[in-house]
Amino acid sequence: MSIRQRWSAKTPHFWKKVQRVAIKLGAIATIIVAAPIALPAAVVTVATYTIVAGTVAATLSQLTVENNESK
């Protein structure tokens, strides 16, 4: 199965929840990084890593597909 087919295939319910959480975490972290106030370097570093982790988790959860052959 190609990546294009996996991307448009039906995603299992659990992975949809994971995707929503990852997108929300990434959005919150983006707001923290883009904040117009001075924040400690540790907070910005953690937020940057959270953006990367959220993006990866959301993308990978989109690529999971239901396997109806075994049912």
Side-chain angles (χ1 to χ4, degrees):
M1 183 179 275
S2 72
I3 291 178
R4 186 175 287 178
Q5 290 171 328
R6 290 181 75 89
W7 191 268
S8 61
K10 184 172 170 73
T11 304
H13 185 67
F14 170 76
W15 290 106
K16 285 183 184 180
K17 286 183 179 181
V18 170
Q19 186 177 30
R20 282 188 220 116
V21 169
I23 290 170
K24 288 176 185 174
L25 282 175
I28 292 168
T30 302
I31 291 169
I32 291 171
V33 168
I37 59 173
L39 295 170
V43 172
V44 175
T45 302
V46 170
T48 304
Y49 285 124
T50 305
I51 293 170
V52 173
T55 303
V56 170
T59 303
L60 291 179
S61 64
Q62 177 64 38
L63 292 176
T64 58
V65 295
E66 287 186 355
N67 185 1
N68 293 329
E69 294 173 7
S70 63
K71 290 184 180 179

